[in-house]
Amino acid sequence: MALQDVFIKNLKFYRKEKSVSQKDLSIALNKGFNYINSIECGASFPPPHVIDEIARLLKIEPEILFSKSACPENIRDTEKACLSPSLKEDLIRGITNEIERILG
């Protein structure tokens, strides 16, 4: 998963957790009203000083915005990426075999 994607998911998660709208966060940053929307859509990426300010406004440490384990969606996506296709196939085959054995 790309670092920008991790950042976007964490930003959305913590912004919503703190009940802060995109517009309100944009205004608090002295930016245009759709600044956060452009970040969350992946159209732009904030410079380091803005990342620090976003974190301060959300009352979190800036590095949390880049952590793959900072929000449920990133944790789930990271876990999915770890499952190889062959492991998935092995699990399905094992379940299918067990069902067939039980049903006789």
Side-chain angles (χ1 to χ4, degrees), residues 76-95:
R76 185 181 61 246
D77 290 348
T78 301
E79 294 296 324
K80 278 186 194 175
C82 291
L83 287 177
S84 69
S86 63
L87 176 59
K88 186 177 178 181
E89 290 170 8
D90 289 344
L91 289 171
I92 291 170
R93 186 173 33 259
I95 292 168

Side-chain angles (χ1 to χ4, degrees), residues 20 75 89:
V20 178
I75 293 169
E89 290 170 8

Side-chain angles (χ1 to χ4, degrees), residues 2-104:
L3 188 59
Q4 184 174 2
D5 295 332
V6 171
F7 178 88
I8 290 168
K9 288 176 183 173
N10 287 331
L11 174 58
K12 286 179 184 178
F13 175 79
Y14 285 101
R15 182 181 57 73
K16 290 175 182 178
E17 183 181 75
K18 307 287 182 167
S19 300
V20 178
S21 71
Q22 290 180 340
K23 181 180 176 183
D24 289 342
L25 187 54
S26 295
I27 291 169
L29 292 167
N30 293 319
K31 303 289 185 183
F33 72 93
N34 66 352
Y35 180 71
I36 296 298
N37 181 54
S38 71
I39 293 171
E40 289 184 359
C41 290
S44 65
F45 195 79
H49 72 279
V50 175
I51 293 170
D52 285 339
E53 186 64 10
I54 289 170
R56 186 187 69 73
L57 291 165
L58 295 176
K59 297 179 172 92
I60 59 173
E61 293 297 321
E63 50 273 3
I64 288 175
L65 293 168
F66 294 96
S67 173
K68 289 182 178 179
S69 61
C71 80
E73 188 173 347
N74 280 335
I75 293 169
R76 185 181 61 246
D77 290 348
T78 301
E79 294 296 324
K80 278 186 194 175
C82 291
L83 287 177
S84 69
S86 63
L87 176 59
K88 186 177 178 181
E89 290 170 8
D90 289 344
L91 289 171
I92 291 170
R93 186 173 33 259
I95 292 168
T96 303
N97 289 341
E98 188 63 18
I99 291 170
E100 289 174 354
R101 184 188 67 75
I102 291 169
L103 295 177

